[in-house]
Amino acid sequence: MKTLKRIIPIGILLFSCLFAVAEKKQKADTAALNKIEKLMKSRMFYIEVDAAYPSGSGSITINSKYGQKRIGGDGYVSLATNQGQIFMLDTVATGRLPFFGRAYSVPYGEGGGVEFEKAEIKDESFKVINKRKKNYIEYKFNVRNNNDIFNFYIEVYGNGKCTVNVTSNNRASISYSGKLTPIPEDKKKAMGL
């Protein structure tokens, strides 16, 4: 009986401490997500991707300054030497993302990456998702270059990390992981902002 009287208060204390820590973490996550939401609503932000996840079942050989690397179609491709980027500038977007995968219908000589220059943003949607253990911002939009329409689905978390999924009419889908930040000063100067 004495043991039970000691265990119950310790259990209650432990439970209340865990609850307080979880509540504090949730408040910090909410504050960070609010900061990212404010940045995205300013419509002046930058996404730099550092890994690609091609779809399909074929293998891919990557040439980089570190030599050749062969991976499976559903594998991970580090973009350490070929980082992609997306600039969101009010109602237009500019992007250069490396593409690994199958192209179905691409004009001769234009089989490079997912590229668009000052393309008008269409069908845009922005939603804050609050789930029990996962809070993020869901951002969707479409852009068009000369030969294709790219559909973007982006999930951004409170720490700025994001996943970028791209589908198009002429290529297999591909996903990227990266980070969303304000546009760096050196990039602003290069773009003439």
Side-chain angles (χ1 to χ4, degrees):
M1 190 71 167
K2 287 184 180 183
T3 308
L4 189 59
K5 286 183 179 180
R6 289 182 185 163
I7 291 176
I8 290 175
I10 291 172
I12 291 171
L13 180 64
L14 183 61
F15 180 74
S16 62
C17 288
L18 289 175
F19 183 75
V21 168
E23 188 176 337
K24 185 176 179 181
K25 183 183 181 310
Q26 186 177 13
K27 285 181 182 179
D29 289 349
T30 302
L33 194 64
N34 289 341
K35 184 177 176 183
I36 293 293
E37 181 182 6
K38 183 178 177 185
L39 173 62
M40 291 181 76
K41 284 186 175 178
S42 76
R43 301 180 65 106
M44 294 284 288
F45 59 89
Y46 168 74
I47 296 174
E48 184 170 51
V49 298
D50 56 8
Y53 304 90
S55 65
S57 60
S59 63
I60 300 167
T61 302
I62 307 299
N63 290 313
S64 72
K65 70 180 185 180
Y66 303 111
Q68 287 190 340
K69 181 179 181 183
R70 191 168 180 85
I71 63 166
D74 289 326
Y76 155 83
V77 180
S78 172
L79 301 178
T81 60
N82 192 13
Q83 290 182 328
Q85 50 197 355
I86 302 170
F87 294 91
M88 303 302 284
L89 306 165
D90 197 22
T91 60
V92 296
T94 297
R96 288 176 194 81
L97 301 170
F99 179 77
F100 307 96
R102 181 169 288 166
Y104 305 115
S105 173
V106 178
Y108 183 75
E110 295 185 23
V114 175
E115 298 179 357
F116 45 95
E117 187 76 32
K118 295 183 181 172
E120 185 178 352
I121 298 169
K122 300 272 187 178
D123 301 326
E124 184 178 36
S125 72
F126 182 92
K127 190 187 308 182
V128 177
I129 307 295
N130 291 311
K131 292 188 175 177
R132 186 171 170 202
K133 291 191 176 189
K134 187 170 148 181
N135 299 326
Y136 60 93
I137 297 171
E138 178 184 275
Y139 184 53
K140 298 178 188 178
F141 66 94
N142 300 336
V143 292
R144 172 183 222 121
N145 70 4
N146 294 336
N147 304 309
D148 209 348
I149 298 172
F150 300 109
N151 305 305
F152 285 84
Y153 173 82
I154 302 172
E155 288 183 3
V156 184
Y157 300 91
N159 60 3
K161 292 190 178 189
C162 60
T163 59
V164 179
N165 299 302
V166 183
T167 59
S168 73
N169 295 340
N170 299 331
R171 300 168 193 247
S173 63
I174 187 167
S175 298
Y176 303 91
S177 63
K179 186 145 175 101
L180 183 140
T181 62
I183 300 173
E185 291 301 320
D186 61 328
K187 306 279 185 192
K188 283 183 181 179
K189 289 178 185 174
M191 294 183 74
L193 299 175

